[in-house]
Amino acid sequence: MEMPGGLPMAGQGEDRDGLTLDQLHVPLGPLLADWPTGLTIRLVLQGDVVQLAELEEPAAHTSGSAVEPFWVQPWLRAASGEPVPVGEAMRRRAAAHLDSLGRLLSVAGWPAEAVSARRLRDDLLCGASRAAVAPRLERFARRVGRSRTLAWLTRGVGVVTAAEAREAGVSGPAARADGDVTDRYRQWLAEIRRSLDRLEESSPLQVAAEESPRGLWNAERPPSAALTALLPRLLTGAEFAAARLIVAGLDPDPDELALGTREVAHG
């Protein structure tokens, strides 16, 4: 049954403590603000706790003119044989992490710093030099990295140990963070600093040696596939208020998933 306006009525079911409570089916995505575009997760809620989380498969791009994932374009070009300077890839990687931070900070309710992250991202994408960006980045990293309020809000949320990451095939910052959302956003900050130091490297990008923003690049199983596969387990049992922090703290790129589906289909 549906209520007026198309809203679903709550059903009933046993919760994790064995009680019978109203059960509500809620979709997250794909059109939420500060949400990975194209990602849809269907939740079953009882009270404010997620009892079940299921992912919808992303649609594959079937058109020959399908747009390639923006954040991994240097790695795609290098994989096709084009010489791509390492510095170009580092610039894209740092900008991608700033984009992820902007999304997380916005979800966490810190819009001013979300804007700062996005301005730094845009400056990098427009070719700003390290000298022009580094002082502002350091101020931003200190404010965000040392924020007690942000750490309190995200501490203990979406824990992924290094062992769990390896078992799930996760690489990149999420694997090295070895912990919760707090550990992951601090890892992003550390990765941005390291990438910024390499903006001038002119040696050719080696896809197998240099990670894309979300991990080692593999066109058939992009790194976002492993990140997305973690979400149902992390969301199940979490409070609804923490669900968006968990997703933003991993920030998978659905465009990578669609590309991976297309690669398998064409293979």
Side-chain angles (χ1 to χ4, degrees):
M1 295 178 63
E2 289 187 344
M3 295 175 64
L7 296 174
M9 290 186 67
Q12 288 190 328
E14 278 196 4
D15 78 344
R16 294 161 67 88
D17 297 320
L19 303 174
T20 300
L21 299 174
D22 285 342
Q23 193 176 70
L24 187 64
H25 295 255
V26 177
L28 286 181
L31 301 177
L32 287 173
D34 299 302
W35 180 264
T37 303
L39 180 68
T40 302
I41 305 174
R42 299 197 174 273
L43 306 180
V44 177
L45 298 177
Q46 287 180 307
D48 63 350
V49 176
V50 178
Q51 298 295 317
L52 180 67
E54 294 182 337
L55 294 168
E56 280 195 4
E57 289 293 325
H61 294 305
T62 57
S63 168
S65 61
V67 177
E68 292 179 337
F70 177 76
W71 297 115
V72 295
Q73 283 180 3
W75 285 264
L76 294 175
R77 288 162 46 211
S80 70
E82 180 180 340
V84 178
V86 167
E88 180 181 339
M90 296 304 100
R91 181 179 294 276
R92 189 66 59 97
R93 189 165 73 186
H97 293 330
L98 285 163
D99 185 71
S100 295
L101 279 163
R103 188 172 293 112
L104 174 63
L105 292 167
S106 183
V107 170
W110 203 355
E113 290 308 320
V115 170
S116 296
R118 287 162 176 163
R119 285 176 175 167
L120 285 163
R121 173 202 65 191
D122 291 347
D123 287 347
L124 280 174
L125 292 175
C126 289
S129 67
R130 182 191 182 282
V133 172
R136 291 165 49 215
L137 175 65
E138 275 306 311
R139 291 192 294 272
F140 167 79
R142 284 196 298 269
R143 288 193 302 268
V144 173
R146 297 177 184 178
S147 170
R148 294 182 180 180
T149 302
L150 183 61
W152 171 81
L153 183 67
T154 55
R155 179 65 65 197
V157 175
V159 175
V160 180
T161 66
E164 289 169 335
R166 286 194 301 270
E167 185 178 348
V170 173
S171 57
R176 285 188 290 277
D178 188 23
D180 54 20
V181 172
T182 307
D183 296 310
R184 289 196 285 278
Y185 73 69
R186 287 174 174 168
Q187 185 67 36
W188 279 334
L189 291 170
E191 302 272 344
I192 293 166
R193 287 185 173 111
R194 284 195 285 270
S195 295
L196 210 63
D197 288 338
R198 303 179 64 191
L199 292 186
E200 305 305 320
E201 287 192 25
S202 58
S203 55
L205 174 65
Q206 301 296 322
V207 175
E210 300 288 355
E211 289 180 342
S212 68
R214 290 162 176 86
L216 286 171
W217 180 251
N218 182 330
E220 293 187 359
R221 183 170 171 78
S224 285
L227 294 175
T228 304
L230 288 174
L231 289 176
R233 177 182 67 79
L234 294 179
L235 292 170
T236 300
E239 293 185 358
F240 182 59
R244 292 199 61 189
L245 288 172
I246 291 171
V247 175
L250 284 176
D251 199 31
D253 183 357
D255 286 345
E256 288 186 11
L257 305 182
L259 177 66
T261 303
R262 189 178 72 193
E263 291 287 338
V264 170
H266 287 181

